[in-house]
Amino acid sequence: MFGQSITPSPGKGARTPSSGRSRRSGQPTPGSADREQSMRDYKLGIEYKHLKQHCPGGVYLVPSFDDLRLFYGVIFVRRGAFANAIFKFTLRCPQKYNDVNTHPIVTFSSYVYNPHVHKETGQVDLSIAYPEWDPSAHFIVTVLTYVKRIFYVKDYEELTKDQQERLPNQEAYQLFQTDPDGYRRRVAECVKESQRSMYLNEPGCTLAFKEDAPEHQALRRLLKQKFGNGDGSEEDVSGVVTKDEALAIIQQAASNPSVSPNRKSVSPKRN
């Protein structure tokens, strides 16, 4: 009697462990869902770290302070029809980014006249380049490389007819095909607009452009006066700059920002 195990019977209305509602097969538990999201976030961090060595030239990307999945970027176009343009954009990774067929979202805040960029929203249609997003083969760096390439396109023969018809800005595409000179004029206007709006920054933007302070302008003038323009012209007297020479010019600019190489310093008027 004393060695027998006795299991108490459940009271009326009590649930046995197996009598509760069962979880559907394949449905993640709260703990597993959190782990999956943590793994996505970790992979995103690894991708951003990878950009330090592999980001395309002329492209810069900075994460937001408040949102792990929001990045602010800028592209400096160096040659071609869009040469000297400064295009700002955002790159957002959805919550399920790093899952199959979950594309990042690239949206230009600068006005961009390009067949690949939607005229109203500024969004780039990445599905043309990546019909199926494969997280084992496609990354942020591949997206940035593609976004940079759209400003160097010379023709659209490599795209299928379906892809050509799906380009977001059909007006720009048709102008590119039928009136190249007219297209270049529109692009030139777009480039100038990007330069004019360079100092317009979105609220919370972590990649903000600011106009030079007076001391920075003075420093630039003094450096050009002392060391030349660095452009190989006859007026260029650039060469090796010592640390002491650079520090002396910095101190001079900081102490007297209004100094100019071609005129005497003028003190501001006082009321």
Side-chain angles (χ1 to χ4, degrees), residues 19-55:
S19 65
R21 183 179 296 177
S22 60
R23 185 176 299 276
R24 293 181 180 178
S25 176
Q27 184 179 0
T29 63
S32 66
D34 291 342
R35 285 193 295 272
E36 288 175 3
Q37 189 59 52
S38 296
M39 184 57 66
R40 294 189 192 99
D41 295 343
Y42 174 75
K43 289 180 179 179
L44 181 58
I46 294 297
E47 283 193 51
Y48 184 72
K49 183 178 180 181
H50 181 75
L51 286 176
K52 292 182 178 180
Q53 288 78 32
H54 302 282
C55 194

PDB file of all heavy atoms in Angstrom, residues 19-55:
ATOM      1  N   SER A  19      -5.868  18.621 -22.543  1.00  0.00           N
ATOM      2  CA  SER A  19      -7.220  19.007 -22.905  1.00  0.00           C
ATOM      3  C   SER A  19      -7.324  20.436 -23.398  1.00  0.00           C
ATOM      4  O   SER A  19      -8.365  20.848 -23.871  1.00  0.00           O
ATOM      5  CB  SER A  19      -8.155  18.823 -21.694  1.00  0.00           C
ATOM      6  OG  SER A  19      -7.779  19.711 -20.653  1.00  0.00           O
ATOM      7  N   GLY A  20      -6.215  21.243 -23.269  1.00  0.00           N
ATOM      8  CA  GLY A  20      -6.236  22.632 -23.710  1.00  0.00           C
ATOM      9  C   GLY A  20      -6.237  22.726 -25.226  1.00  0.00           C
ATOM     10  O   GLY A  20      -6.073  21.748 -25.950  1.00  0.00           O
ATOM     11  N   ARG A  21      -6.398  23.959 -25.727  1.00  0.00           N
ATOM     12  CA  ARG A  21      -6.406  24.179 -27.171  1.00  0.00           C
ATOM     13  C   ARG A  21      -5.016  23.929 -27.742  1.00  0.00           C
ATOM     14  O   ARG A  21      -4.027  24.471 -27.263  1.00  0.00           O
ATOM     15  CB  ARG A  21      -6.834  25.613 -27.450  1.00  0.00           C
ATOM     16  CG  ARG A  21      -6.935  25.917 -28.944  1.00  0.00           C
ATOM     17  CD  ARG A  21      -7.377  27.340 -29.155  1.00  0.00           C
ATOM     18  NE  ARG A  21      -8.732  27.522 -28.620  1.00  0.00           N
ATOM     19  CZ  ARG A  21      -9.356  28.706 -28.609  1.00  0.00           C
ATOM     20  NH1 ARG A  21      -8.723  29.771 -29.087  1.00  0.00           N
ATOM     21  NH2 ARG A  21     -10.574  28.808 -28.128  1.00  0.00           N
ATOM     22  N   SER A  22      -4.927  23.097 -28.716  1.00  0.00           N
ATOM     23  CA  SER A  22      -3.626  22.747 -29.304  1.00  0.00           C
ATOM     24  C   SER A  22      -3.219  23.800 -30.327  1.00  0.00           C
ATOM     25  O   SER A  22      -4.057  24.378 -31.008  1.00  0.00           O
ATOM     26  CB  SER A  22      -3.692  21.366 -29.976  1.00  0.00           C
ATOM     27  OG  SER A  22      -4.660  21.377 -31.002  1.00  0.00           O
ATOM     28  N   ARG A  23      -1.891  24.055 -30.446  1.00  0.00           N
ATOM     29  CA  ARG A  23      -1.359  25.006 -31.427  1.00  0.00           C
ATOM     30  C   ARG A  23      -1.322  24.344 -32.786  1.00  0.00           C
ATOM     31  O   ARG A  23      -0.980  23.182 -32.929  1.00  0.00           O
ATOM     32  CB  ARG A  23       0.047  25.441 -31.005  1.00  0.00           C
ATOM     33  CG  ARG A  23       0.639  26.522 -31.903  1.00  0.00           C
ATOM     34  CD  ARG A  23       1.984  26.968 -31.373  1.00  0.00           C
ATOM     35  NE  ARG A  23       1.855  27.533 -30.041  1.00  0.00           N
ATOM     36  CZ  ARG A  23       1.510  28.789 -29.796  1.00  0.00           C
ATOM     37  NH1 ARG A  23       1.267  29.608 -30.824  1.00  0.00           N
ATOM     38  NH2 ARG A  23       1.413  29.235 -28.573  1.00  0.00           N
ATOM     39  N   ARG A  24      -1.688  25.072 -33.792  1.00  0.00           N
ATOM     40  CA  ARG A  24      -1.693  24.541 -35.143  1.00  0.00           C
ATOM     41  C   ARG A  24      -0.296  24.132 -35.576  1.00  0.00           C
ATOM     42  O   ARG A  24       0.687  24.778 -35.227  1.00  0.00           O
ATOM     43  CB  ARG A  24      -2.249  25.573 -36.121  1.00  0.00           C
ATOM     44  CG  ARG A  24      -3.728  25.880 -35.919  1.00  0.00           C
ATOM     45  CD  ARG A  24      -4.179  26.900 -36.955  1.00  0.00           C
ATOM     46  NE  ARG A  24      -5.597  27.219 -36.778  1.00  0.00           N
ATOM     47  CZ  ARG A  24      -6.241  28.105 -37.522  1.00  0.00           C
ATOM     48  NH1 ARG A  24      -5.598  28.743 -38.494  1.00  0.00           N
ATOM     49  NH2 ARG A  24      -7.523  28.353 -37.309  1.00  0.00           N
ATOM     50  N   SER A  25      -0.250  23.103 -36.338  1.00  0.00           N
ATOM     51  CA  SER A  25       1.031  22.613 -36.828  1.00  0.00           C
ATOM     52  C   SER A  25       1.688  23.665 -37.721  1.00  0.00           C
ATOM     53  O   SER A  25       1.060  24.212 -38.618  1.00  0.00           O
ATOM     54  CB  SER A  25       0.814  21.324 -37.622  1.00  0.00           C
ATOM     55  OG  SER A  25       2.028  20.883 -38.170  1.00  0.00           O
ATOM     56  N   GLY A  26       2.966  23.947 -37.470  1.00  0.00           N
ATOM     57  CA  GLY A  26       3.699  24.916 -38.284  1.00  0.00           C
ATOM     58  C   GLY A  26       3.582  26.343 -37.800  1.00  0.00           C
ATOM     59  O   GLY A  26       4.272  27.222 -38.288  1.00  0.00           O
ATOM     60  N   GLN A  27       2.688  26.600 -36.841  1.00  0.00           N
ATOM     61  CA  GLN A  27       2.537  27.970 -36.324  1.00  0.00           C
ATOM     62  C   GLN A  27       3.629  28.242 -35.307  1.00  0.00           C
ATOM     63  O   GLN A  27       3.789  27.489 -34.345  1.00  0.00           O
ATOM     64  CB  GLN A  27       1.162  28.133 -35.680  1.00  0.00           C
ATOM     65  CG  GLN A  27       0.880  29.549 -35.195  1.00  0.00           C
ATOM     66  CD  GLN A  27      -0.512  29.664 -34.587  1.00  0.00           C
ATOM     67  OE1 GLN A  27      -1.233  28.677 -34.548  1.00  0.00           O
ATOM     68  NE2 GLN A  27      -0.859  30.834 -34.141  1.00  0.00           N
ATOM     69  N   PRO A  28       4.430  29.302 -35.484  1.00  0.00           N
ATOM     70  CA  PRO A  28       5.543  29.551 -34.565  1.00  0.00           C
ATOM     71  C   PRO A  28       5.051  29.949 -33.186  1.00  0.00           C
ATOM     72  O   PRO A  28       4.039  30.621 -33.039  1.00  0.00           O
ATOM     73  CB  PRO A  28       6.307  30.698 -35.234  1.00  0.00           C
ATOM     74  CG  PRO A  28       5.280  31.395 -36.064  1.00  0.00           C
ATOM     75  CD  PRO A  28       4.335  30.315 -36.530  1.00  0.00           C
ATOM     76  N   THR A  29       5.762  29.511 -32.200  1.00  0.00           N
ATOM     77  CA  THR A  29       5.463  29.925 -30.832  1.00  0.00           C
ATOM     78  C   THR A  29       5.966  31.346 -30.641  1.00  0.00           C
ATOM     79  O   THR A  29       6.809  31.818 -31.416  1.00  0.00           O
ATOM     80  CB  THR A  29       6.155  28.993 -29.832  1.00  0.00           C
ATOM     81  OG1 THR A  29       7.574  29.108 -30.014  1.00  0.00           O
ATOM     82  CG2 THR A  29       5.718  27.547 -30.057  1.00  0.00           C
ATOM     83  N   PRO A  30       5.467  32.051 -29.618  1.00  0.00           N
ATOM     84  CA  PRO A  30       5.966  33.418 -29.391  1.00  0.00           C
ATOM     85  C   PRO A  30       7.473  33.471 -29.263  1.00  0.00           C
ATOM     86  O   PRO A  30       8.134  34.368 -29.776  1.00  0.00           O
ATOM     87  CB  PRO A  30       5.249  33.823 -28.104  1.00  0.00           C
ATOM     88  CG  PRO A  30       3.987  33.015 -28.093  1.00  0.00           C
ATOM     89  CD  PRO A  30       4.358  31.699 -28.727  1.00  0.00           C
ATOM     90  N   GLY A  31       8.070  32.481 -28.603  1.00  0.00           N
ATOM     91  CA  GLY A  31       9.519  32.471 -28.432  1.00  0.00           C
ATOM     92  C   GLY A  31      10.251  32.284 -29.745  1.00  0.00           C
ATOM     93  O   GLY A  31      11.233  32.966 -30.030  1.00  0.00           O
ATOM     94  N   SER A  32       9.747  31.377 -30.594  1.00  0.00           N
ATOM     95  CA  SER A  32      10.420  31.128 -31.874  1.00  0.00           C
ATOM     96  C   SER A  32      10.264  32.315 -32.813  1.00  0.00           C
ATOM     97  O   SER A  32      11.167  32.636 -33.588  1.00  0.00           O
ATOM     98  CB  SER A  32       9.863  29.867 -32.522  1.00  0.00           C
ATOM     99  OG  SER A  32       8.507  30.036 -32.892  1.00  0.00           O
ATOM    100  N   ALA A  33       9.114  33.000 -32.758  1.00  0.00           N
ATOM    101  CA  ALA A  33       8.915  34.188 -33.599  1.00  0.00           C
ATOM    102  C   ALA A  33       9.905  35.284 -33.222  1.00  0.00           C
ATOM    103  O   ALA A  33      10.462  35.959 -34.092  1.00  0.00           O
ATOM    104  CB  ALA A  33       7.485  34.695 -33.462  1.00  0.00           C
ATOM    105  N   ASP A  34      10.147  35.464 -31.935  1.00  0.00           N
ATOM    106  CA  ASP A  34      11.115  36.462 -31.479  1.00  0.00           C
ATOM    107  C   ASP A  34      12.523  36.100 -31.938  1.00  0.00           C
ATOM    108  O   ASP A  34      13.304  36.972 -32.332  1.00  0.00           O
ATOM    109  CB  ASP A  34      11.079  36.581 -29.951  1.00  0.00           C
ATOM    110  CG  ASP A  34       9.785  37.215 -29.451  1.00  0.00           C
ATOM    111  OD1 ASP A  34       9.104  37.854 -30.266  1.00  0.00           O
ATOM    112  OD2 ASP A  34       9.468  37.057 -28.261  1.00  0.00           O
ATOM    113  N   ARG A  35      12.833  34.810 -31.869  1.00  0.00           N
ATOM    114  CA  ARG A  35      14.168  34.385 -32.296  1.00  0.00           C
ATOM    115  C   ARG A  35      14.362  34.599 -33.793  1.00  0.00           C
ATOM    116  O   ARG A  35      15.426  35.018 -34.235  1.00  0.00           O
ATOM    117  CB  ARG A  35      14.390  32.902 -31.934  1.00  0.00           C
ATOM    118  CG  ARG A  35      14.636  32.647 -30.460  1.00  0.00           C
ATOM    119  CD  ARG A  35      15.166  31.243 -30.222  1.00  0.00           C
ATOM    120  NE  ARG A  35      14.177  30.226 -30.582  1.00  0.00           N
ATOM    121  CZ  ARG A  35      13.243  29.751 -29.766  1.00  0.00           C
ATOM    122  NH1 ARG A  35      13.177  30.217 -28.520  1.00  0.00           N
ATOM    123  NH2 ARG A  35      12.403  28.824 -30.170  1.00  0.00           N
ATOM    124  N   GLU A  36      13.315  34.321 -34.583  1.00  0.00           N
ATOM    125  CA  GLU A  36      13.403  34.527 -36.022  1.00  0.00           C
ATOM    126  C   GLU A  36      13.609  36.000 -36.353  1.00  0.00           C
ATOM    127  O   GLU A  36      14.401  36.349 -37.224  1.00  0.00           O
ATOM    128  CB  GLU A  36      12.131  34.008 -36.699  1.00  0.00           C
ATOM    129  CG  GLU A  36      12.018  32.496 -36.716  1.00  0.00           C
ATOM    130  CD  GLU A  36      10.688  32.033 -37.294  1.00  0.00           C
ATOM    131  OE1 GLU A  36       9.902  32.905 -37.729  1.00  0.00           O
ATOM    132  OE2 GLU A  36      10.422  30.816 -37.304  1.00  0.00           O
ATOM    133  N   GLN A  37      12.885  36.886 -35.631  1.00  0.00           N
ATOM    134  CA  GLN A  37      13.043  38.316 -35.877  1.00  0.00           C
ATOM    135  C   GLN A  37      14.427  38.792 -35.453  1.00  0.00           C
ATOM    136  O   GLN A  37      15.050  39.623 -36.129  1.00  0.00           O
ATOM    137  CB  GLN A  37      11.964  39.101 -35.137  1.00  0.00           C
ATOM    138  CG  GLN A  37      11.912  40.575 -35.501  1.00  0.00           C
ATOM    139  CD  GLN A  37      11.653  40.781 -36.981  1.00  0.00           C
ATOM    140  OE1 GLN A  37      10.708  40.226 -37.544  1.00  0.00           O
ATOM    141  NE2 GLN A  37      12.491  41.571 -37.640  1.00  0.00           N
ATOM    142  N   SER A  38      14.922  38.262 -34.345  1.00  0.00           N
ATOM    143  CA  SER A  38      16.272  38.626 -33.891  1.00  0.00           C
ATOM    144  C   SER A  38      17.317  38.203 -34.922  1.00  0.00           C
ATOM    145  O   SER A  38      18.301  38.917 -35.156  1.00  0.00           O
ATOM    146  CB  SER A  38      16.571  37.978 -32.540  1.00  0.00           C
ATOM    147  OG  SER A  38      15.698  38.476 -31.544  1.00  0.00           O
ATOM    148  N   MET A  39      17.095  37.041 -35.539  1.00  0.00           N
ATOM    149  CA  MET A  39      18.038  36.576 -36.559  1.00  0.00           C
ATOM    150  C   MET A  39      17.986  37.480 -37.796  1.00  0.00           C
ATOM    151  O   MET A  39      19.022  37.791 -38.389  1.00  0.00           O
ATOM    152  CB  MET A  39      17.715  35.134 -36.942  1.00  0.00           C
ATOM    153  CG  MET A  39      18.698  34.521 -37.935  1.00  0.00           C
ATOM    154  SD  MET A  39      20.419  34.560 -37.345  1.00  0.00           S
ATOM    155  CE  MET A  39      20.294  33.434 -35.950  1.00  0.00           C
ATOM    156  N   ARG A  40      16.779  37.931 -38.170  1.00  0.00           N
ATOM    157  CA  ARG A  40      16.679  38.868 -39.301  1.00  0.00           C
ATOM    158  C   ARG A  40      17.419  40.157 -38.982  1.00  0.00           C
ATOM    159  O   ARG A  40      18.138  40.704 -39.834  1.00  0.00           O
ATOM    160  CB  ARG A  40      15.212  39.177 -39.598  1.00  0.00           C
ATOM    161  CG  ARG A  40      14.382  38.007 -40.112  1.00  0.00           C
ATOM    162  CD  ARG A  40      13.014  38.477 -40.566  1.00  0.00           C
ATOM    163  NE  ARG A  40      12.093  37.362 -40.800  1.00  0.00           N
ATOM    164  CZ  ARG A  40      11.179  36.966 -39.935  1.00  0.00           C
ATOM    165  NH1 ARG A  40      11.027  37.600 -38.772  1.00  0.00           N
ATOM    166  NH2 ARG A  40      10.392  35.948 -40.216  1.00  0.00           N
ATOM    167  N   ASP A  41      17.235  40.665 -37.773  1.00  0.00           N
ATOM    168  CA  ASP A  41      17.907  41.908 -37.384  1.00  0.00           C
ATOM    169  C   ASP A  41      19.425  41.728 -37.379  1.00  0.00           C
ATOM    170  O   ASP A  41      20.172  42.624 -37.787  1.00  0.00           O
ATOM    171  CB  ASP A  41      17.426  42.349 -35.998  1.00  0.00           C
ATOM    172  CG  ASP A  41      15.950  42.715 -35.976  1.00  0.00           C
ATOM    173  OD1 ASP A  41      15.384  42.947 -37.061  1.00  0.00           O
ATOM    174  OD2 ASP A  41      15.360  42.759 -34.874  1.00  0.00           O
ATOM    175  N   TYR A  42      19.868  40.565 -36.908  1.00  0.00           N
ATOM    176  CA  TYR A  42      21.307  40.290 -36.867  1.00  0.00           C
ATOM    177  C   TYR A  42      21.885  40.257 -38.281  1.00  0.00           C
ATOM    178  O   TYR A  42      22.941  40.845 -38.553  1.00  0.00           O
ATOM    179  CB  TYR A  42      21.558  38.958 -36.155  1.00  0.00           C
ATOM    180  CG  TYR A  42      22.995  38.510 -36.181  1.00  0.00           C
ATOM    181  CD1 TYR A  42      23.946  39.117 -35.356  1.00  0.00           C
ATOM    182  CD2 TYR A  42      23.409  37.487 -37.030  1.00  0.00           C
ATOM    183  CE1 TYR A  42      25.271  38.713 -35.380  1.00  0.00           C
ATOM    184  CE2 TYR A  42      24.731  37.078 -37.057  1.00  0.00           C
ATOM    185  CZ  TYR A  42      25.658  37.700 -36.233  1.00  0.00           C
ATOM    186  OH  TYR A  42      26.970  37.299 -36.263  1.00  0.00           O
ATOM    187  N   LYS A  43      21.196  39.595 -39.199  1.00  0.00           N
ATOM    188  CA  LYS A  43      21.663  39.530 -40.585  1.00  0.00           C
ATOM    189  C   LYS A  43      21.722  40.911 -41.214  1.00  0.00           C
ATOM    190  O   LYS A  43      22.632  41.219 -41.987  1.00  0.00           O
ATOM    191  CB  LYS A  43      20.743  38.613 -41.392  1.00  0.00           C
ATOM    192  CG  LYS A  43      20.879  37.136 -41.055  1.00  0.00           C
ATOM    193  CD  LYS A  43      19.931  36.302 -41.906  1.00  0.00           C
ATOM    194  CE  LYS A  43      20.067  34.825 -41.606  1.00  0.00           C
ATOM    195  NZ  LYS A  43      19.112  34.013 -42.417  1.00  0.00           N
ATOM    196  N   LEU A  44      20.738  41.753 -40.891  1.00  0.00           N
ATOM    197  CA  LEU A  44      20.734  43.116 -41.427  1.00  0.00           C
ATOM    198  C   LEU A  44      21.950  43.893 -40.927  1.00  0.00           C
ATOM    199  O   LEU A  44      22.586  44.636 -41.678  1.00  0.00           O
ATOM    200  CB  LEU A  44      19.441  43.827 -41.019  1.00  0.00           C
ATOM    201  CG  LEU A  44      19.262  45.264 -41.516  1.00  0.00           C
ATOM    202  CD1 LEU A  44      19.334  45.323 -43.032  1.00  0.00           C
ATOM    203  CD2 LEU A  44      17.939  45.829 -41.018  1.00  0.00           C
ATOM    204  N   GLY A  45      22.286  43.716 -39.644  1.00  0.00           N
ATOM    205  CA  GLY A  45      23.481  44.364 -39.101  1.00  0.00           C
ATOM    206  C   GLY A  45      24.750  43.891 -39.787  1.00  0.00           C
ATOM    207  O   GLY A  45      25.657  44.692 -40.061  1.00  0.00           O
ATOM    208  N   ILE A  46      24.818  42.612 -40.090  1.00  0.00           N
ATOM    209  CA  ILE A  46      25.979  42.068 -40.805  1.00  0.00           C
ATOM    210  C   ILE A  46      26.074  42.666 -42.209  1.00  0.00           C
ATOM    211  O   ILE A  46      27.157  43.006 -42.685  1.00  0.00           O
ATOM    212  CB  ILE A  46      25.892  40.534 -40.881  1.00  0.00           C
ATOM    213  CG1 ILE A  46      26.019  39.924 -39.479  1.00  0.00           C
ATOM    214  CG2 ILE A  46      26.966  39.982 -41.796  1.00  0.00           C
ATOM    215  CD1 ILE A  46      27.338  40.179 -38.794  1.00  0.00           C
ATOM    216  N   GLU A  47      24.937  42.813 -42.869  1.00  0.00           N
ATOM    217  CA  GLU A  47      24.931  43.410 -44.215  1.00  0.00           C
ATOM    218  C   GLU A  47      25.459  44.839 -44.173  1.00  0.00           C
ATOM    219  O   GLU A  47      26.242  45.253 -45.040  1.00  0.00           O
ATOM    220  CB  GLU A  47      23.516  43.399 -44.789  1.00  0.00           C
ATOM    221  CG  GLU A  47      23.056  42.056 -45.298  1.00  0.00           C
ATOM    222  CD  GLU A  47      21.801  42.169 -46.138  1.00  0.00           C
ATOM    223  OE1 GLU A  47      21.786  43.007 -47.066  1.00  0.00           O
ATOM    224  OE2 GLU A  47      20.837  41.444 -45.861  1.00  0.00           O
ATOM    225  N   TYR A  48      25.008  45.599 -43.183  1.00  0.00           N
ATOM    226  CA  TYR A  48      25.466  46.996 -43.110  1.00  0.00           C
ATOM    227  C   TYR A  48      26.966  47.050 -42.824  1.00  0.00           C
ATOM    228  O   TYR A  48      27.683  47.877 -43.395  1.00  0.00           O
ATOM    229  CB  TYR A  48      24.699  47.753 -42.037  1.00  0.00           C
ATOM    230  CG  TYR A  48      25.081  49.211 -41.991  1.00  0.00           C
ATOM    231  CD1 TYR A  48      24.685  50.091 -42.999  1.00  0.00           C
ATOM    232  CD2 TYR A  48      25.887  49.708 -40.972  1.00  0.00           C
ATOM    233  CE1 TYR A  48      25.059  51.422 -42.986  1.00  0.00           C
ATOM    234  CE2 TYR A  48      26.270  51.042 -40.950  1.00  0.00           C
ATOM    235  CZ  TYR A  48      25.852  51.894 -41.959  1.00  0.00           C
ATOM    236  OH  TYR A  48      26.237  53.203 -41.951  1.00  0.00           O
ATOM    237  N   LYS A  49      27.445  46.184 -41.956  1.00  0.00           N
ATOM    238  CA  LYS A  49      28.889  46.146 -41.675  1.00  0.00           C
ATOM    239  C   LYS A  49      29.665  45.806 -42.946  1.00  0.00           C
ATOM    240  O   LYS A  49      30.754  46.342 -43.191  1.00  0.00           O
ATOM    241  CB  LYS A  49      29.169  45.107 -40.589  1.00  0.00           C
ATOM    242  CG  LYS A  49      30.627  45.036 -40.169  1.00  0.00           C
ATOM    243  CD  LYS A  49      30.837  44.023 -39.061  1.00  0.00           C
ATOM    244  CE  LYS A  49      32.300  43.962 -38.643  1.00  0.00           C
ATOM    245  NZ  LYS A  49      32.514  42.957 -37.571  1.00  0.00           N
ATOM    246  N   HIS A  50      29.112  44.951 -43.787  1.00  0.00           N
ATOM    247  CA  HIS A  50      29.747  44.549 -45.038  1.00  0.00           C
ATOM    248  C   HIS A  50      29.915  45.739 -45.981  1.00  0.00           C
ATOM    249  O   HIS A  50      30.844  45.774 -46.800  1.00  0.00           O
ATOM    250  CB  HIS A  50      28.883  43.463 -45.692  1.00  0.00           C
ATOM    251  CG  HIS A  50      29.417  42.937 -46.983  1.00  0.00           C
ATOM    252  ND1 HIS A  50      30.483  42.063 -47.066  1.00  0.00           N
ATOM    253  CD2 HIS A  50      29.037  43.170 -48.266  1.00  0.00           C
ATOM    254  CE1 HIS A  50      30.730  41.788 -48.331  1.00  0.00           C
ATOM    255  NE2 HIS A  50      29.871  42.433 -49.081  1.00  0.00           N
ATOM    256  N   LEU A  51      29.023  46.741 -45.864  1.00  0.00           N
ATOM    257  CA  LEU A  51      29.071  47.896 -46.761  1.00  0.00           C
ATOM    258  C   LEU A  51      30.333  48.723 -46.578  1.00  0.00           C
ATOM    259  O   LEU A  51      30.733  49.440 -47.494  1.00  0.00           O
ATOM    260  CB  LEU A  51      27.851  48.792 -46.535  1.00  0.00           C
ATOM    261  CG  LEU A  51      26.503  48.297 -47.079  1.00  0.00           C
ATOM    262  CD1 LEU A  51      25.405  49.260 -46.682  1.00  0.00           C
ATOM    263  CD2 LEU A  51      26.570  48.146 -48.587  1.00  0.00           C
ATOM    264  N   LYS A  52      30.942  48.672 -45.407  1.00  0.00           N
ATOM    265  CA  LYS A  52      32.128  49.494 -45.156  1.00  0.00           C
ATOM    266  C   LYS A  52      33.228  49.214 -46.168  1.00  0.00           C
ATOM    267  O   LYS A  52      33.967  50.112 -46.553  1.00  0.00           O
ATOM    268  CB  LYS A  52      32.643  49.244 -43.732  1.00  0.00           C
ATOM    269  CG  LYS A  52      31.714  49.750 -42.644  1.00  0.00           C
ATOM    270  CD  LYS A  52      32.310  49.519 -41.269  1.00  0.00           C
ATOM    271  CE  LYS A  52      31.405  50.058 -40.180  1.00  0.00           C
ATOM    272  NZ  LYS A  52      31.963  49.841 -38.818  1.00  0.00           N
ATOM    273  N   GLN A  53      33.343  47.961 -46.586  1.00  0.00           N
ATOM    274  CA  GLN A  53      34.386  47.601 -47.547  1.00  0.00           C
ATOM    275  C   GLN A  53      33.859  47.477 -48.976  1.00  0.00           C
ATOM    276  O   GLN A  53      34.645  47.513 -49.928  1.00  0.00           O
ATOM    277  CB  GLN A  53      35.039  46.263 -47.161  1.00  0.00           C
ATOM    278  CG  GLN A  53      35.936  46.303 -45.932  1.00  0.00           C
ATOM    279  CD  GLN A  53      35.151  46.300 -44.634  1.00  0.00           C
ATOM    280  OE1 GLN A  53      34.071  45.701 -44.561  1.00  0.00           O
ATOM    281  NE2 GLN A  53      35.677  46.949 -43.621  1.00  0.00           N
ATOM    282  N   HIS A  54      32.549  47.345 -49.164  1.00  0.00           N
ATOM    283  CA  HIS A  54      32.044  46.986 -50.484  1.00  0.00           C
ATOM    284  C   HIS A  54      30.977  47.929 -51.024  1.00  0.00           C
ATOM    285  O   HIS A  54      30.380  47.635 -52.069  1.00  0.00           O
ATOM    286  CB  HIS A  54      31.483  45.560 -50.441  1.00  0.00           C
ATOM    287  CG  HIS A  54      32.484  44.528 -50.007  1.00  0.00           C
ATOM    288  ND1 HIS A  54      33.452  44.037 -50.848  1.00  0.00           N
ATOM    289  CD2 HIS A  54      32.680  43.932 -48.804  1.00  0.00           C
ATOM    290  CE1 HIS A  54      34.203  43.157 -50.194  1.00  0.00           C
ATOM    291  NE2 HIS A  54      33.757  43.072 -48.964  1.00  0.00           N
ATOM    292  N   CYS A  55      30.727  49.050 -50.388  1.00  0.00           N
ATOM    293  CA  CYS A  55      29.723  49.985 -50.889  1.00  0.00           C
ATOM    294  C   CYS A  55      30.191  50.572 -52.221  1.00  0.00           C
ATOM    295  O   CYS A  55      31.372  50.907 -52.378  1.00  0.00           O
ATOM    296  CB  CYS A  55      29.493  51.104 -49.879  1.00  0.00           C
ATOM    297  SG  CYS A  55      28.007  52.089 -50.222  1.00  0.00           S
TER     298      CYS A  55
END
